[in-house]
Amino acid sequence: MDQLEATLRRALDGARLSDAEVYELAERGRAEPGRVIAAAGELRDATAGPRVTFSKKVFIPLTKLCRDACGYCTFAHPPRPGERAYLTIDEVLAIAAAGEAAGCKEALFTLGDKPERKWRSARDELAAMGHDTTISYLIEACTAVLEHTALLPHANPGALTFDEAAALRPVTVSQGTMLETLSERLLKRGMAHFGAPDKRPAVRLATLEAAGRARVPFTTGILVGIGETYAERIEALLAIRASHERHGHIQEVIVQNFRAKGDILMSAHPEPGIDDMRLAVAMARLVMGPDVGVQAPPNLTPERYGTYLEAGLSDWGGVSPVTIDHVNPEAPWPQLDELRRTTEERGHLLLERLAVYPAYCSTPGSLAKWSEPSLRPRILDAVDAEGYVRADGWYSGASTAPPAAASVAIEAAHAGAWRVPGRITRPSIGRALGRAADGEELGEDELSLLFTARGAEAERLFGVADELRKASVGDEVTYVVNRNINYTNQCYYKCGFCAFSKGPKSLNLRGAPYLLTPEEVAGRAVEAWERGATEVCMQGGIHGSFTGDDYARYLEAVKEAVPEMHVHAFTALEIFQGAATLGVPVRDFLVRLREAGLATLPGTAAEVLDDEIRAIICPDKVTTEEWVEVHRIAHSVGLRSNATIMFGTVEGPRNWARHLMVVRRLHAEIEDDTGGLFEFVPLPFVHMGAPIYLKGRARRGPTFEEALKMHAVARIALGARIPNIQVSWVKMGVEGSKLALQAGANDLGGILMDENISRAAGADHGQELGPPEMETLIRDIGRTPRRRTTLYGVPA
C-alpha cells in the first residue's frame, strides 16, 4: 500500500486527516486525481448513501450596491440614475409570494457588502426608511417575509460581526458568506480582490467565527480560479474546517468555479477546467469529512455537473423555478426534472432540504441549539424525522392515498430491484440487512441506521422484512372482531399529542366531555357480543375522580353481562394511577383486576420509550421504566400484553431504535412467564387536532415512507421474538395498510366498532371496518385472511 492509498484509507475509515496529511494528499492528488476523486465519492456514499440534496429557493437581491469592487463580479454595480438602491418591502414580498406559489421553501437574500459605507445614495435611502445600516434593513425584510409567507430566509450579507450575526438569527434559519480564499496576494492591484476591503482574509475568517459564536447554521466555501494557487485552495478549506471544529456550525462548503464574463474586469481570465473542479470538490469532501455538505452550483457547469457526484458532492445548492441567478445571470438554473434525472442516472436520489441543513433541525436538541424559538414551528411543520423537506403530502389518519412512490418501492422490493448495478447504497445498510436476513439480532445503532434507508436501501429493507414475515407467520393476515370502549374522555394528564382527552383547558377540542357508567360500558359490551365480537378494548382518560375501584367496577360489570368476553383493558398509566389512588402495590392491584376479569393489557401509553422524548410530549406520564415495570409485573401474575409505539411528533430514528430495544428486552424478560408480548403495534401520530402540533411543537406525523419503515424495522427487530406486527388501518387507511402488510406486517388489528381517539385528533378513516371489508383488503394483496382471538387463537 503506497502513501496515497494509506492516507485515503484513513479518511475512508473516518479518521481526521492532519493539516500535513491534507497538504500531502493534495499534492499527490494532483498527480493521481482519479484515486482522490474515487475515494471522496466512496466516503460520501458510505455516509450519505444515495441522498443528494437541493433547496427550492427564490432569489431576493435586496441591494446590488456594494462597497467592494471584485474583479469577477457582475452582481454589484454603482448607483444608477433613477434606480433605487434597495428593493422596497413590497417588492421583496412580491418576489417571495411568487416563490411561495411555485413551491419554494427558501428565501435567499443576497446583497452587496455594507454599501452605506461607500455610497451616499445608500445612506440616504436607508435613512428615509428608518435604518442606519443595510443589516438593519435586511432584518426588516426577513421579518416581512416571515410574517407574510411560509418561506424561511437565508441571508448572504457578506462580512458580519458577532452582533450582526446574532441580530439576524431570529429572522433567518441560516446565513452564509463565502470565504473564497485566504490569499493576501489577491488584494493587490490588478488582482481579483483589489478594492474589496471586505475580502481581506482576516475579515472573512472573523465572519466564520462570529457565526459560530452566534450559533448560526452557516454556509461558506471557496471560489476556484480567481488567481489563487492550488495550495491556497487547500489552505482555505483547512481554515473552514478549523472554524467548524471550534463551533460545529458549517453546514455546507460551496466549491464555486469562476466564470469569465464580458462585462467584468477579469473577462480575459481563464476559467478552471472540469478536472480542476472535480479535484477541488473531492478535496473539500476529504478535508471536511462525511458530515458537512459539499456543494457545487450546477448552473455553472452545464451539461457536465453530474460528474461532481463522482467526486463526493452531496448537494446542488439552491435552485429556483422563479428567479434567475443574479450573481451569474448568464447561467440559468437547471430545470428540476433535469436535475433529478442527472442525479438519478448516476444511482442517487434527489431530496429537497430547507435552507437549514437536516443535521441542524432533525432532533429536539439540534433544533433548540441552532434555531430561534419563533422559527422552530415553521421548521417542524416542513420536515420529516431526518430533517429533509416533507414531500409526500400524506398524513396519518387523513383520507389522502399513499404516495405512488410507496407502491413503486414495494413492487421494486419484491422484484429485487435494489440489486440493479449502479444504484447507490451504503455498505453499512447492506451489512445490517444481510445480518437481519440471516436471522441475526441487530443492535441499536443498526436499527437506527435502517430507519434512515432511502431509495434502493429502503426497497431492500421492505423486501427483507417481508421475507422474515413470511418465514415467521406465513401468508395469513389476521384480524379480530372487537369493540373499543373509551369510558371517559376527561383526563388531568397533559399529553401534548392527545386530542381525545378533555381537561379544563381543552374544551375547544372535538366532542363534549363524557363519563360512561359501568352499566353503560356493560351495555356496549353486550351489543358487541351480539355482533360477534370476542374482545372489548377498554381505555380512557385519567378522570379526576377515579380510583382503582372504578377500573375494577368496569371489569365486573362487563364480565357479569358477558362472562365469555375477553377484556383487553387499561394502559400502564391507568394501572399505575389506579394502584396509587388505593395506596397498594401495582402487583396487588393487577391481581385484583385479573380476578375481576382482566385478561390482557394494551401496550398504549408507551408512546416513545425514551425519556428524552417523553419529557417533551408527555412530561407527567409514566416514565419508560414505570411503563416497563407495569408490564413486567402483569406478566408475572399471569396476564398478557402487547406493545405499541406512537411515532412522528418530535423524535427520530435513534429514539425509535431505543424504543424497539426496550420492547425487545422486556419481552426477553417476561417470555418464560407467559409467552411474552403477543404483538407490536406501530401507531403513526395523527397531528391535525393534537395540541402539541397546534402549538407548533411537533411535526405533522410521520411521512408514509417513515410509517412503512417502522413496520419493516419492527419486523426485523422483534419478529424472531414477537411474531405479530400489526398495522393500524385507522391510521394508515385501507390502501396504506395493504402496503404495510407487504413490508413486514401480518395483522390488521380489530374492526373496532367505535374508534374515538384517532377521530378526535382529526383522522378521516371510519370508526369501523367490518369482516367482509377486512377480508377483501387481505385478498386484494394475494394473502389469506383469518379471524383470530385477542391472543391469536381460533375463535370458538
Side-chain angles (χ1 to χ4, degrees):
M1 180 185 297
D2 63 17
Q3 186 58 48
L4 177 58
E5 181 65 24
T7 303
L8 292 175
R9 180 48 51 195
R10 275 179 35 76
L12 290 173
D13 289 342
R16 176 193 182 277
L17 301 182
S18 69
D19 289 8
E21 286 178 303
V22 168
Y23 280 117
E24 183 177 358
L25 174 63
E27 279 306 307
R28 290 177 180 272
R30 296 183 76 177
E32 298 183 77
R35 294 171 67 184
V36 173
I37 288 168
E42 185 178 343
L43 179 61
R44 188 272 326 281
D45 290 349
T47 49
R51 300 172 178 80
V52 174
T53 52
F54 78 103
S55 174
K56 200 172 183 180
K57 73 179 181 186
V58 60
F59 200 127
I60 303 176
L62 190 64
T63 179
K64 292 188 176 183
L65 300 186
C66 184
R67 77 162 176 169
D68 297 320
C70 300
Y72 48 78
C73 182
T74 57
F75 176 77
H77 57 69
R80 294 170 177 169
E83 186 175 303
R84 288 183 58 88
Y86 296 86
L87 295 177
T88 66
I89 295 300
D90 285 344
E91 289 171 328
V92 167
L93 290 178
I95 296 170
E100 183 178 26
C104 298
K105 305 293 190 302
E106 174 186 349
L108 169 63
F109 282 90
T110 295
L111 50 153
D113 212 313
K114 296 179 173 57
E116 69 276 13
R117 296 187 179 181
K118 183 175 184 179
W119 304 109
R120 174 176 290 277
S121 60
R123 292 193 295 274
D124 291 345
E125 197 166 304
L126 285 171
M129 296 186 294
H131 294 278
D132 294 327
T133 67
T134 297
I135 295 297
S136 174
Y137 184 54
L138 174 60
I139 292 170
E140 181 186 345
C142 291
T143 300
V145 167
L146 288 169
E147 289 177 349
H148 294 281
T149 76
L151 300 180
L152 295 171
H154 170 90
N156 279 345
L160 289 168
T161 65
F162 170 79
D163 289 343
E164 289 169 334
L168 280 166
R169 190 180 191 271
V171 295
T172 59
V173 295
S174 57
Q175 299 169 32
T177 296
M178 291 289 282
L179 177 61
E180 297 191 8
T181 181
L182 292 183
S183 174
E184 296 280 353
R185 294 181 304 99
L186 300 190
L187 295 167
K188 295 179 180 180
R189 183 175 298 277
M191 303 299 280
H193 287 157
F194 179 72
D198 295 300
K199 297 302 175 74
R200 286 179 291 126
V203 172
R204 308 309 268 191
L205 290 173
T207 297
L208 294 192
E209 291 299 294
R213 288 170 51 218
R215 290 188 174 181
V216 173
F218 207 70
T219 292
T220 189
I222 62 173
L223 194 50
V224 177
I226 59 172
E228 82 289 351
T229 66
Y230 180 67
E232 288 168 340
R233 290 177 201 166
I234 305 306
E235 181 187 14
L237 290 172
L238 288 171
I240 293 170
R241 183 177 75 172
S243 184
H244 180 62
E245 289 177 341
R246 283 189 289 273
H247 305 290
H249 64 310
I250 303 299
Q251 58 175 6
E252 67 177 344
V253 171
I254 301 173
V255 180
Q256 182 170 328
N257 49 313
F258 163 74
R259 290 285 298 266
K261 309 170 184 71
D263 55 351
I264 62 173
L265 294 174
M266 295 174 63
S267 58
H269 191 79
E271 296 181 353
I274 188 70
D275 292 336
D276 288 332
M277 280 296 295
R278 279 160 49 89
L279 183 57
V281 168
M283 287 304 303
R285 169 58 63 209
L286 293 168
V287 169
M288 299 307 301
D291 298 326
V292 174
V294 174
Q295 178 201 130
N299 60 315
L300 301 187
T301 315
E303 300 180 2
R304 302 191 69 184
Y305 63 84
T307 63
Y308 293 152
L309 290 168
E310 301 163 7
L313 177 137
S314 60
D315 185 82
W316 293 123
V319 177
S320 180
V322 177
T323 49
I324 64 169
D325 179 352
H326 288 274
V327 175
N328 296 281
E330 83 291 349
W333 308 111
Q335 295 295 312
L336 289 181
D337 286 345
E338 177 202 321
L339 191 68
R340 189 175 308 279
R341 183 172 60 254
T342 298
T343 304
E344 292 179 353
E345 283 174 350
R346 287 165 171 78
H348 296 272
L349 182 69
L350 188 65
L351 294 179
E352 186 179 358
R353 60 164 174 85
L354 298 179
V356 56
Y357 261 57
Y360 295 83
C361 66
S362 58
T363 67
S366 62
L367 196 62
K369 179 177 180 179
W370 295 103
S371 296
E372 285 290 305
S374 60
L375 297 175
R376 293 170 199 164
R378 291 171 175 259
I379 295 171
L380 282 169
D381 199 43
V383 299
D384 64 17
E386 293 184 77
Y388 297 97
V389 167
R390 184 189 185 101
D392 64 11
W394 177 90
Y395 303 106
S396 172
S399 57
T400 308
S407 297
V408 171
I410 292 297
E411 291 176 10
H414 294 161
W418 57 269
R419 297 185 179 91
V420 173
R423 300 187 73 191
I424 302 298
T425 60
R426 286 167 285 179
S428 54
I429 289 265
R431 288 191 295 269
L433 289 174
R435 292 199 334 107
D438 290 340
E440 297 181 41
E441 198 166 80
L442 304 188
E444 180 185 312
D445 289 346
E446 292 169 300
L447 296 176
S448 179
L449 181 68
L450 292 185
F451 280 118
T452 70
R454 302 265 181 166
E457 299 171 339
E459 292 169 14
R460 187 178 180 190
L461 168 66
F462 299 146
V464 168
D466 199 52
E467 286 298 317
L468 291 174
R469 181 272 310 163
K470 189 170 185 178
S472 177
V473 295
D475 283 333
E476 283 188 342
V477 175
T478 48
Y479 68 93
V480 62
V481 178
N482 68 348
R483 182 173 193 171
N484 268 19
I485 303 176
N486 304 120
Y487 44 79
T488 183
N489 64 351
Q490 297 179 65
C491 186
Y492 60 81
Y493 280 79
K494 300 179 180 65
C495 301
F497 55 82
C498 182
F500 172 70
S501 68
K502 309 296 172 208
K505 297 182 180 179
S506 60
L507 299 182
N508 59 313
L509 300 176
R510 289 190 179 191
Y514 70 84
L515 172 63
L516 300 181
T517 66
E519 292 74 23
E520 289 173 316
V521 169
R524 295 189 182 195
V526 170
E527 291 173 2
W529 183 260
E530 291 172 348
R531 292 184 56 190
T534 57
E535 171 198 308
V536 290
C537 177
M538 299 196 306
Q539 300 177 83
I542 307 300
H543 195 281
S545 69
F546 270 21
T547 71
D549 293 334
D550 293 279
Y551 300 117
R553 280 193 282 269
Y554 281 129
L555 286 169
E556 289 161 356
V558 169
K559 295 302 284 188
E560 182 178 352
V562 193
E564 297 178 351
M565 182 70 80
H566 181 106
V567 182
H568 181 61
F570 310 138
T571 69
L573 177 60
E574 290 158 295
I575 299 300
F576 197 83
Q577 185 264 355
T581 63
L582 297 177
V584 301
V586 167
R587 177 178 298 276
D588 293 352
F589 184 52
L590 281 167
V591 169
R592 178 182 173 187
L593 295 181
R594 184 196 66 199
E595 292 173 350
L598 180 63
T600 54
L601 274 65
T604 41
E607 322 317 348
V608 178
L609 293 172
D610 184 338
D611 287 336
E612 174 190 347
I613 301 303
R614 299 180 80 78
I616 299 170
I617 66 174
C618 52
D620 56 349
K621 211 165 194 172
V622 289
T623 66
T624 295
E625 181 51 35
E626 287 168 342
W627 184 93
V628 168
E629 181 64 8
V630 168
H631 285 264
R632 189 184 288 127
I633 295 171
H635 284 257
S636 74
V637 301
L639 295 168
R640 296 288 302 276
S641 66
N642 64 10
T644 67
I645 182 171
M646 191 283 299
F647 64 104
T649 55
V650 299
E651 79 297 335
R654 175 62 61 179
N655 312 106
W656 297 337
R658 289 173 182 165
H659 182 103
L660 291 173
M661 295 292 288
V662 170
V663 171
R664 193 167 72 193
R665 285 194 295 266
L666 171 63
H667 180 85
E669 288 182 49
I670 62 179
E671 190 170 13
D672 290 342
D673 291 331
T674 58
L677 302 167
F678 59 85
E679 67 187 2
F680 181 74
V681 189
L683 300 169
F685 170 54
V686 179
H687 76 283
M688 288 78 88
I692 194 172
Y693 172 74
L694 296 176
K695 294 176 182 177
R697 298 175 185 170
R699 301 191 303 273
R700 298 188 179 204
T703 65
F704 189 80
E705 184 177 61
E706 287 168 349
L708 274 189
K709 287 192 284 192
M710 179 60 73
H711 292 83
V713 178
R715 169 62 64 188
I716 287 170
L718 306 175
R721 295 177 177 269
I722 306 171
N724 300 303
I725 307 297
Q726 184 182 121
V727 55
S728 169
W729 60 266
V730 175
K731 307 291 198 298
M732 298 286 286
V734 169
E735 295 305 315
S737 296
K738 290 178 182 178
L739 295 175
L741 289 169
Q742 299 173 77
N746 69 293
D747 181 73
L748 274 171
I751 71 166
L752 299 183
M753 296 188 192
D754 293 292
E755 199 295 316
N756 296 315
I757 295 174
S758 298
R759 296 281 292 175
D764 295 330
H765 301 303
Q767 293 179 288
E768 180 175 340
L769 191 68
E773 291 81 9
M774 286 270 195
E775 299 202 358
T776 297
L777 183 163
I778 295 163
R779 289 194 176 97
D780 280 350
I781 59 171
R783 303 267 276 280
T784 304
R786 179 175 74 81
R787 180 177 167 183
R788 64 168 174 86
T789 64
T790 304
L791 295 174
Y792 288 79
V794 178

